[in-house]
Amino acid sequence: MPQPSSAQETPMIPRRLLFGNPDKASPQISPDGSQLGFLAPVNGVLNVWVAPAEDPSAATPVTQDTGRGVRLFGWTYRSDQIVYLQDSEGDENWHIYGVNLSSGDIRDLTPLEGVQAQIQRDSHKHPDRILVGLNDRDPQLHDLYLIDLETGDRELVQHNEGFAWFVADDEFNVRFAARLTGDGGSEYLRQSADGEWENAFTISMEDAVTTSPLEFNKSGEVLYMEDSRGRDTAVLKAINLASGAETVLASHDRADVSGTMIHPTEKTIQAVSFNYDRKTWQILDESVAGDLEFLATVCPGDVEVVSRTLDDGCWIVAYLRDDGPVRYYRYLRETKEATFLFTNREALEGMPLVKVHPVVIRARDGLDLVCYYSLPLDADPQQTGELTSPLPMALLVHGGPWARDSWGYNPVFQLLANRGYAVLSVNFRGSTGFGKNFVNAGNLEWGAKMHDDLVDAVQWAIGQGMADDGRVAILGGSYGGYATLAGMTFTPDVFACGVDIVGPSNLVTLMETLPPYWQPTIDLFTSRVGDFRTEEGKKFLLERSPLSHVDNIKRPLLIGQGANDPRVKQSESDQIVRAMQDKEIPVTYVLYPDEGHGFARPENSLSFFAIAEAFLSECLGGRYEPLGQDLEGASITVPEGAQHIPGLLEALN
């Protein structure tokens, strides 16, 4: 197919810069402010490094992972101890490892096979222990244990009697236990003096996604909550637990609470963020007003305080941009001194990255959809968000679905725009952050009104002269993968091709095979997606399942799957590939034996997007970087359809 003129002059951004390991990422200051920890590669694998806070260049690695890489780590309240999480090839049975920086010893604090560990709480009042949930007794339920960071000894704190989750305080007291009600709401209980659990408060189904506890005040007498009860958007509320008196601390007419800054020891709310189309802050504690005002002058981008010392005197600040890597600074509050640390991907500085434009699109029934789009540099050199002629377009659908897209840097956006495509993402109904009415508008609407929102956004882009009708791709992961399969089967004439990553094809088998530890929350799924436990519910879910409509597929489809995915099992991809084979419908199926719900190893992510890039070029006519050596080191297998991707058979051989 002819290549679009919009992508002929802009230099091609190497794929490795977008999907390879970051240079450095996730910096965190130790509680005493003396040391800085961050993630960086060791022999191509992400590990934790530690440096003196004043000299990041003197960092040395303190972990020794040689496989998937460390992605989740944090300081304990002992400044000589770090913990990190690791699973096995994507199975999400997380182990918690402790690293003693004085001795260099690394200890598996939860050495139990086939068990998932969850860090529930740490506390500056008890720096030698952490509160952990383990489903070792019952795969469906996490009991709570206190684990000694030095010895690994664990002490049972709370036997789980069928609860979905717990809320504990700084003394490691379990203050509330929550369980779902049959309609998808939740009931919070607390123990009476005689040890019996009794109702403290109830959250109805309509508020369940937008209402939850956040933290206690210093005395433990006040509970801070994000709360949508009695209104649409979730406000920040303080509830006196003795009197029941409630005070609204911060609110927004169009957006839910999205983040809070809480003093590490005083437990006062300093600032609250809301995110409609861009993040904004409401300051509640004037002591930080000057800090945030000053930080806004240091560097372009949205300011985020990502780590802080126990005395709140030193902050690690991230500047999030749409057309550049994240920039990190160490900020000393007393002197208002901000020292540049590093960017997460230095090689992206100076690359031809594009802007991300927020826009509100009206759905066919009048619902406002907050969306984001990007345009190639050659088609929009000044990055004003306007075009003179339509382009092939990629619709990128977020997962969840109870999540959202936000403004900022996105490597997939940048890849696609650089290759000559307009790119659009949609906060369809069911997405979070826009009030409970918006979330609940997605109930029982998988493959129906939720999908209509995506189609309406595509039609808007065509009507605006942005998208070339007939050359629109749909792609996404998890729910976005489901949406891709729905696009291929329910609206096969709208999309020219689809890229599905770990997307469910059959909603009945999806819910029948959810991980056992999700069972306490199963009513969330049945009330919002459909009830697979009844014959009527099964019929409904099968009708909304792409697998039931495979005959409708008429355009090219690329599927990516992790073999160890505990959420969307490999069988979800296997069964739709098999159905397409039976009907002699072409499909390309890429399977990774060492991955789970998405691709964690950069070699695997790089290889998949190399294939996706070539696939989209075949379908839409954009340019692509040849596969080259980007399959090296990946565990990639292609059980079906390698011949449909330019250069893939040769690269595999």
Side-chain angles (χ1 to χ4, degrees):
M1 296 180 68
Q3 296 186 353
S5 59
S6 62
Q8 296 303 307
E9 298 179 7
T10 300
M12 189 174 285
I13 301 173
R15 215 168 21 240
R16 286 183 176 272
L17 300 188
L18 298 168
F19 297 104
N21 274 320
D23 306 322
K24 301 181 181 71
S26 305
Q28 297 184 36
I29 194 74
S30 63
D32 65 3
S34 66
Q35 299 175 92
L36 182 73
F38 56 86
L39 297 177
V42 177
N43 297 322
V45 179
L46 281 182
N47 275 277
V48 182
W49 295 59
V50 172
E54 296 82 6
D55 187 10
S57 64
T60 56
V62 298
T63 63
Q64 304 164 7
D65 195 276
T66 58
R68 295 174 63 72
V70 178
R71 287 169 288 155
L72 301 168
F73 87 99
W75 289 96
T76 68
Y77 283 104
R78 289 177 43 160
S79 289
D80 65 344
Q81 188 95 18
I82 278 174
V83 293
Y84 70 93
L85 275 67
Q86 188 59 277
D87 68 350
S88 177
E89 298 189 332
D91 65 3
E92 298 186 16
N93 284 327
W94 302 102
H95 287 228
I96 302 170
Y97 292 86
V99 183
N100 187 305
L101 300 180
S102 299
S103 66
D105 291 341
I106 300 175
R107 178 190 293 272
D108 186 349
L109 297 172
T110 57
L112 302 165
E113 290 305 312
V115 171
Q116 186 194 66
Q118 301 174 344
I119 297 179
Q120 300 283 323
R121 181 100 192 189
D122 59 356
S123 171
H124 68 281
K125 295 182 177 180
H126 303 280
D128 295 322
R129 298 189 294 177
I130 56 174
L131 188 64
V132 171
L134 295 172
N135 62 340
D136 55 331
R137 177 182 57 85
D138 183 336
Q140 294 190 18
L141 303 172
H142 284 76
D143 298 324
L144 295 187
Y145 294 86
L146 279 173
I147 295 184
D148 188 289
L149 292 168
E150 191 68 36
T151 66
D153 292 343
R154 60 180 181 269
E155 171 192 344
L156 180 66
V157 171
Q158 182 63 60
H159 182 274
N160 191 332
E161 303 171 22
F163 299 115
W165 60 86
F166 297 97
V167 181
D169 62 19
D170 267 340
E171 298 293 348
F172 295 137
N173 296 318
V174 177
R175 302 289 297 276
F176 298 102
R179 62 187 175 206
L180 264 65
T181 55
D183 63 354
S186 54
E187 180 184 23
Y188 283 79
L189 303 101
R190 55 186 166 194
Q191 282 185 303
S192 61
D194 59 5
E196 294 297 317
W197 291 100
E198 55 187 24
N199 181 272
F201 56 91
T202 300
I203 299 171
S204 67
M205 188 276 284
E206 68 173 2
D207 291 295
V209 174
T210 46
T211 301
S212 62
L214 294 175
E215 181 58 286
F216 298 95
N217 74 342
K218 187 176 183 178
S219 69
E221 298 170 348
V222 173
L223 176 67
Y224 299 120
M225 290 187 68
E226 54 180 87
D227 198 335
S228 64
R229 290 174 294 179
R231 53 178 294 134
D232 180 24
T233 57
V235 302
L236 179 68
K237 186 180 288 186
I239 302 176
N240 186 298
L241 295 174
S243 68
E246 300 182 357
T247 304
V248 174
L249 303 179
S251 64
H252 191 288
D253 289 339
R254 297 187 297 173
D256 300 324
V257 172
S258 66
T260 55
M261 285 181 59
I262 304 177
H263 191 283
T265 56
E266 296 302 312
K267 302 298 182 181
T268 51
I269 307 290
Q270 297 168 315
V272 182
S273 65
F274 296 89
N275 186 358
Y276 185 66
D277 57 353
R278 287 285 298 270
K279 179 175 287 189
T280 59
W281 287 92
Q282 289 186 23
I283 295 172
L284 302 186
D285 182 348
E286 283 301 316
S287 70
V288 302
D291 299 299
L292 293 176
E293 182 179 353
F294 169 76
L295 288 171
T297 68
V298 171
C299 179
D302 286 358
V303 176
E304 192 76 38
V305 179
V306 297
S307 178
R308 58 221 304 211
T309 53
L310 200 56
D311 65 5
D312 210 26
C314 175
W315 293 352
I316 302 300
V317 181
Y319 288 86
L320 310 178
R321 299 182 287 167
D322 55 348
D323 59 350
V326 183
R327 299 178 66 85
Y328 293 103
Y329 286 75
R330 175 172 169 260
Y331 171 61
L332 301 179
R333 295 183 65 201
E334 184 176 357
T335 58
K336 284 190 169 51
E337 179 184 1
T339 304
F340 175 71
L341 295 174
F342 46 75
T343 66
N344 64 335
R345 295 178 183 271
E346 185 176 0
L348 286 180
E349 298 280 9
M351 283 287 148
L353 302 174
V354 296
K355 303 293 292 182
V356 174
H357 305 281
V359 63
V360 178
I361 296 173
R362 184 66 55 87
R364 66 188 68 178
D365 62 358
L367 204 61
D368 284 339
L369 311 174
V370 174
C371 304
Y372 301 91
Y373 70 94
S374 290
L375 301 175
L377 275 175
D378 280 337
D380 180 19
Q382 302 304 315
Q383 289 291 284
T384 61
E386 298 178 357
L387 289 176
T388 57
S389 60
L391 294 170
M393 188 179 81
L395 177 71
L396 183 60
V397 186
H398 71 69
W402 306 294
R404 64 162 294 168
D405 284 314
S406 296
W407 178 89
Y409 171 82
N410 183 318
V412 181
F413 259 56
Q414 296 295 339
L415 175 77
L416 295 171
N418 184 256
R419 295 339 188 217
Y421 308 113
V423 195
L424 176 67
S425 66
V426 182
N427 282 306
F428 47 86
R429 69 193 67 205
S431 302
T432 55
F434 307 99
K436 70 184 182 189
N437 293 335
F438 194 84
V439 172
N440 292 320
N443 293 346
L444 305 179
E445 295 294 346
W446 284 43
K449 290 182 180 179
M450 291 165 73
H451 189 68
D452 290 344
D453 291 344
L454 301 177
V455 173
D456 291 349
V458 169
Q459 295 305 321
W460 171 87
I462 293 170
Q464 292 290 311
M466 178 190 304
D468 183 356
D469 192 5
R471 287 204 292 169
V472 178
I474 181 170
L475 61 156
S478 194
Y479 177 84
Y482 165 83
T484 296
L485 297 177
M488 295 289 97
T489 53
F490 299 156
T491 53
D493 294 318
V494 173
F495 299 104
C497 62
V499 180
D500 152 37
I501 304 173
V502 299
S505 62
N506 182 329
L507 297 182
V508 174
T509 55
L510 169 72
M511 288 197 277
E512 287 177 338
T513 59
L514 287 173
Y517 45 82
W518 284 21
Q519 292 307 310
T521 62
I522 195 65
D523 290 328
L524 170 69
F525 293 90
T526 57
S527 63
R528 296 182 184 274
V529 185
D531 196 341
F532 68 102
R533 301 168 298 191
T534 69
E535 287 305 313
E536 182 181 359
K538 278 188 177 181
K539 182 179 178 181
F540 172 81
L541 289 169
L542 288 173
E543 182 59 30
R544 298 290 178 84
S545 296
L547 185 64
S548 303
H549 306 277
V550 168
D551 285 348
N552 294 339
I553 298 177
K554 60 175 72 172
R555 304 287 171 75
L557 177 61
L558 169 63
I559 295 177
Q561 178 69 45
N564 303 311
D565 192 337
R567 310 185 201 183
V568 179
K569 298 289 194 295
Q570 179 185 331
S571 55
E572 290 298 314
S573 291
D574 287 350
Q575 60 194 353
I576 196 164
V577 169
R578 187 164 54 248
M580 293 177 69
Q581 290 171 327
D582 290 344
K583 298 179 184 300
E584 299 183 347
I585 302 172
V587 60
T588 300
Y589 182 25
V590 181
L591 179 66
Y592 294 90
D594 60 351
E595 291 287 6
H597 196 60
F599 310 137
R601 291 184 59 231
E603 295 89 347
N604 291 338
S605 183
L606 182 64
S607 69
F608 184 79
F609 280 101
I611 292 169
E613 190 181 330
F615 171 81
L616 291 172
S617 179
E618 283 288 288
C619 300
L620 303 182
R623 64 179 182 170
Y624 72 97
E625 180 184 0
L627 296 180
Q629 306 302 310
D630 283 359
L631 270 57
E632 287 189 4
S635 67
I636 182 171
T637 65
V638 186
E640 175 66 22
Q643 70 274 18
H644 303 312
I645 307 297
L648 181 53
L649 282 174
E650 295 82 356
L652 290 171
N653 292 329

